[in-house]
Amino acid sequence: MKKYIYTAAFAILAIVSCAKDDTKDVNKGRKIDFRVATTRATETTTDNLNEIWVTAIGENGNAHFSKVQFTKENNYFVTPNAYYWPSDGSDLKFYAFAPSEELIGAEALTIDGTTQLIKGFTPASAIKDQIDLIVADGTGNKDNSANGAELVFDHALTQVEIRAYSNNTGYKHLVKGVRIGKVVSVGDLNLYDKTWDLGTEKSTYEITYDLPIELNAESQSLMDSNVAGQQINRNAMIIPQKLTPWDVENDKDNTEDGSYLSVLINITTADGAVVFPSTEGEYEWVAFPISEELVRGFKYTFNMDFTNGSGYVDPTVPGTPGEEVLGGKIQFTHRISDWTSDFNIPDIEM
């Protein structure tokens, strides 16, 4: 079995706040709206971000406004109830997030003068339901009215894509799902410095689909397939962390909750002989241990090579967890016997 390989890429989303001219109330500064700056990003981008939620904290520690929804209109993010810069020139500290607090679904989301915390965040168990959580902070005052006070949105999670290929034309590999096994699944996100405090609970995230993906020599994503007539294209979004791998040699049942990747697969020979699982037409999970430092805002692509092996039986499969799916490579030694004579053949009379 060849080792997986990975690549990483980093992306951020920038949003700039600016002020439109507004003189309706001489006791207030200019109106606070937000507009989008040029950005590179994964999943959530300048183009597809339509709503943000913003809290503004004054210098006295009190909320100027709290978790207010701003919606994109043309190049601006606006709210029906206008808010204004303080006319005395004092600073406002901004904390912003997306998607909504309901979709984030954390135990608590507290933003005030002393605490800026998303507590008890956990990604959805189904990969297709996971969100790209983005957060930002910045400072501004009425002097930023002309050019805007900048907010830079960071991806708070780590994105994971699983790909696979096989150059072995002697086998047919059909895949109908993927798992990211035993990763830390609960954490608290500190908005003021975008750091995570991890819990100890671990979960397994997966996606399965109706139509199988057949592996070939070209690497292809296993996160993109057809589920109940709907095309799914969604990479995993998990909490940043250092992965401890499944010890497949000494802990086949994975009692220590080591991390692994797993694919739901059917393997036959090119001629149609059943290889794995033992029942024709069925699918079963096969796994690969993984060890990696998953950094916030990075995308990791794990590329699994089935050319010379097919991994180990998933630790959740009863009976044979941790066993190699395929035996050793079929190969032959050879010996050519010497020519011998049969001395019992009778003479042929002419």
Side-chain angles (χ1 to χ4, degrees), residues 72-145:
K72 183 187 290 184
E73 289 185 6
N74 299 318
N75 294 326
Y76 288 88
F77 285 82
V78 300
T79 184
N81 298 314
Y83 292 92
Y84 297 83
W85 295 103
S87 59
D88 62 2
S90 60
D91 286 340
L92 292 177
K93 177 69 175 179
F94 296 110
Y95 295 96
F97 60 86
S100 68
E101 186 172 3
E102 289 72 23
L103 288 177
I104 292 173
E107 178 183 333
L109 201 165
T110 304
I111 306 175
D112 55 34
T114 57
T115 303
Q116 303 86 39
L117 184 69
I118 298 178
K119 182 177 177 57
F121 173 83
T122 183
S125 58
I127 291 173
K128 66 182 180 64
D129 296 328
Q130 292 174 347
I131 63 170
D132 182 10
L133 172 60
I134 58 172
V135 295
D137 68 282
T139 303
N141 57 48
K142 70 176 185 179
D143 292 337
N144 298 113
S145 296

Side-chain angles (χ1 to χ4, degrees), residues 95 116 137 189-196 296:
Y95 295 96
Q116 303 86 39
D137 68 282
L189 176 62
N190 302 296
L191 298 180
Y192 64 89
D193 60 3
K194 302 179 181 68
T195 59
W196 284 92
R296 174 181 59 79

Side-chain angles (χ1 to χ4, degrees), residues 32-212:
I32 300 174
D33 291 335
F34 297 88
R35 65 176 173 85
V36 176
T38 304
T39 181
R40 290 187 303 128
T42 57
E43 296 299 325
T44 300
T45 66
T46 297
D47 291 334
N48 67 26
L49 180 64
N50 295 312
E51 298 173 316
I52 60 175
W53 284 260
V54 185
T55 295
I57 305 296
E59 291 183 351
N60 58 6
N62 295 328
H64 195 69
F65 53 82
S66 180
K67 301 179 189 177
V68 172
Q69 179 180 356
F70 286 76
T71 303
K72 183 187 290 184
E73 289 185 6
N74 299 318
N75 294 326
Y76 288 88
F77 285 82
V78 300
T79 184
N81 298 314
Y83 292 92
Y84 297 83
W85 295 103
S87 59
D88 62 2
S90 60
D91 286 340
L92 292 177
K93 177 69 175 179
F94 296 110
Y95 295 96
F97 60 86
S100 68
E101 186 172 3
E102 289 72 23
L103 288 177
I104 292 173
E107 178 183 333
L109 201 165
T110 304
I111 306 175
D112 55 34
T114 57
T115 303
Q116 303 86 39
L117 184 69
I118 298 178
K119 182 177 177 57
F121 173 83
T122 183
S125 58
I127 291 173
K128 66 182 180 64
D129 296 328
Q130 292 174 347
I131 63 170
D132 182 10
L133 172 60
I134 58 172
V135 295
D137 68 282
T139 303
N141 57 48
K142 70 176 185 179
D143 292 337
N144 298 113
S145 296
N147 298 319
E150 187 177 52
L151 288 178
V152 177
F153 276 85
D154 290 313
H155 296 278
L157 302 172
T158 298
Q159 182 179 183
V160 175
E161 180 184 19
I162 303 172
R163 303 177 68 88
Y165 69 98
S166 174
N167 287 307
N168 190 339
T169 57
Y171 288 87
K172 181 178 181 179
H173 301 84
L174 298 177
V175 176
K176 292 187 73 173
V178 294
R179 280 178 177 166
I180 303 172
K182 296 302 180 181
V183 295
V184 173
S185 56
V186 179
D188 300 337
L189 176 62
N190 302 296
L191 298 180
Y192 64 89
D193 60 3
K194 302 179 181 68
T195 59
W196 284 92
D197 295 322
L198 300 183
T200 58
E201 182 179 344
K202 290 188 175 182
S203 296
T204 295
Y205 304 120
E206 73 175 52
I207 183 172
T208 58
Y209 25 87
D210 302 328
L211 301 181

Side-chain angles (χ1 to χ4, degrees), residues 5-52:
I5 59 175
Y6 68 90
T7 58
F10 176 69
I12 63 171
L13 175 68
I15 289 182
V16 177
S17 77
C18 75
K20 292 181 179 179
D21 289 340
D22 194 310
T23 56
K24 291 181 180 178
D25 190 335
V26 295
N27 294 319
K28 299 176 181 177
R30 299 185 179 211
K31 182 180 176 183
I32 300 174
D33 291 335
F34 297 88
R35 65 176 173 85
V36 176
T38 304
T39 181
R40 290 187 303 128
T42 57
E43 296 299 325
T44 300
T45 66
T46 297
D47 291 334
N48 67 26
L49 180 64
N50 295 312
E51 298 173 316
I52 60 175

Side-chain angles (χ1 to χ4, degrees), residues 248-261:
V248 69
E249 293 185 5
N250 302 306
D251 184 19
K252 293 186 182 300
D253 292 320
N254 200 21
T255 58
E256 297 297 321
D257 287 343
S259 300
Y260 61 91
L261 300 180

